[in-house]
Amino acid sequence: MTKPRVHIATDHAGMELSAHLVSHLGAQGYDVVDHGPTAYDPLDDYPSFCIRAALAVVADQEAGVHALGIVLGGSGNGEQIAANKVKGVRAALAWNFDTARLAREHNDANVIAVGGRQHSVDEATKLIEVFLEEPFSHDERHVRRIGKIATYEATGEIVD
């Protein structure tokens, strides 16, 4: 499987981690697109950065480009919420290797959220690598469940 294009965004709390990831993942052969911010601002508003990264993931996927996203913050919670407001995004907050792996394997998550203040740079890098490298299982039960979520997202209908 080819490496995905990676769209990344952060808030001020994840700036150091984001800069590291842009460099590290680029050196690993990933096509990394940085959606900002470009300068440290302790009062920044992360939603615009995260929404732009999430929109780019969906646009790439709709164009047939293998793409995933990374959103970073102090906890990753707000960034995950912002990304999940974009139709077609399944953003998962990862805090250990199992949650990073299962987000892809079971949920076909296309965006990972990580708290930059919750992990060392090395640990966060490994969490993200696990996420980027794990394929979706395509197991029927997971496909079915994701389909039910997509139906609700598109129509508001709850499918039992």
Side-chain angles (χ1 to χ4, degrees):
M1 184 163 98
T2 62
K3 292 182 184 276
R5 177 176 294 154
V6 177
H7 295 277
I8 189 168
T10 189
D11 76 348
H12 61 277
M15 291 283 297
E16 179 184 333
L17 177 57
S18 181
H20 164 76
L21 289 168
V22 168
S23 174
H24 175 77
L25 295 174
Q28 299 296 316
Y30 290 93
D31 175 15
V32 182
V33 181
D34 188 350
H35 293 271
T38 57
Y40 179 81
D41 177 358
L43 300 176
D44 67 6
D45 290 328
Y46 60 83
S48 58
F49 305 119
C50 295
I51 290 168
R52 285 186 188 105
L55 285 167
V57 169
V58 171
D60 272 355
Q61 290 180 335
E62 288 176 349
V65 175
H66 180 37
L68 295 171
I70 301 166
V71 293
L72 307 167
S75 68
N77 284 314
E79 295 74 19
Q80 176 199 28
I81 292 167
N84 272 322
K85 297 302 178 185
V86 174
K87 185 177 179 182
V89 167
R90 289 177 306 283
L93 179 66
W95 63 90
N96 62 31
F97 300 127
D98 282 339
T99 58
R101 180 181 55 78
L102 292 171
R104 290 284 307 130
E105 182 184 342
H106 288 186
N107 306 112
D108 198 17
N110 51 7
V111 175
I112 185 174
V114 174
R117 292 181 176 156
Q118 311 306 311
H119 309 279
S120 69
V121 169
D122 287 342
E123 182 182 33
T125 300
K126 289 175 185 162
L127 285 172
I128 289 164
E129 288 174 338
V130 166
F131 176 84
L132 294 175
E133 294 169 6
E134 185 67 34
F136 176 51
S137 70
H138 294 281
D139 182 50
E140 187 278 329
R141 67 188 168 126
H142 300 306
V143 170
R144 182 181 69 245
R145 293 168 183 163
I146 292 166
K148 289 180 176 188
I149 295 168
T151 296
Y152 179 77
E153 181 180 51
T155 69
E157 176 188 358
I158 299 172
V159 180
D160 288 326

